Amino acid sequence: RRVARAFGVRIAGTIERPETPEDVIGRIAPEPVLIIHGRDDHYFDEEEAWRLYRAAGEPKALWLASRFGHAEDGFSDRLAERIARHLYASWGLPWPG
């Protein structure tokens, strides 16, 4: 602490617990929430996605994707269009096609 302060770094006297994703997601409503979780994700268990889904306000959707791991592992043009179509519908916008 002394060394950091000597370089002008401000350090809080106490460290507060950061908000969990479950704390934050409930405040997003009424904006639509789309949670996409790969069933082959080796970093996060499927229950993590379900916990977020249960904590989210409406409107919300949960897609569990087979043959999809973590992050962009299973991302494809087809999935990108499906996501875009879902968002357009959620926002009440016509699909520009």
Side-chain angles (χ1 to χ4, degrees):
R1 283 183 176 267
R2 286 184 196 150
V3 171
R5 286 190 179 140
F7 284 102
V9 176
R10 292 181 293 163
I11 300 175
T14 60
I15 298 174
E16 296 183 25
R17 179 186 71 85
E19 294 180 294
T20 67
E22 290 88 350
D23 294 336
V24 175
I25 198 166
R27 296 195 306 261
I28 295 173
E31 293 301 319
V33 171
L34 172 59
I35 300 166
I36 304 170
H37 182 75
R39 288 208 151 133
D40 297 327
D41 190 324
H42 299 289
Y43 294 101
F44 296 101
D45 188 70
E46 187 175 311
E47 179 55 30
E48 298 282 340
W50 278 107
R51 236 187 347 255
L52 285 174
Y53 178 76
R54 286 189 295 269
E58 293 291 343
K60 61 185 176 182
L62 171 62
W63 296 355
L64 299 172
S66 298
R67 296 183 307 279
F68 193 115
H70 184 74
E72 70 280 349
D73 180 48
F75 198 75
S76 65
D77 290 343
R78 185 172 160 221
L79 179 59
E81 182 175 332
R82 185 174 172 215
I83 293 168
R85 286 179 180 274
H86 176 83
L87 293 175
Y88 269 75
S90 295
W91 294 324
L93 299 172
W95 182 248

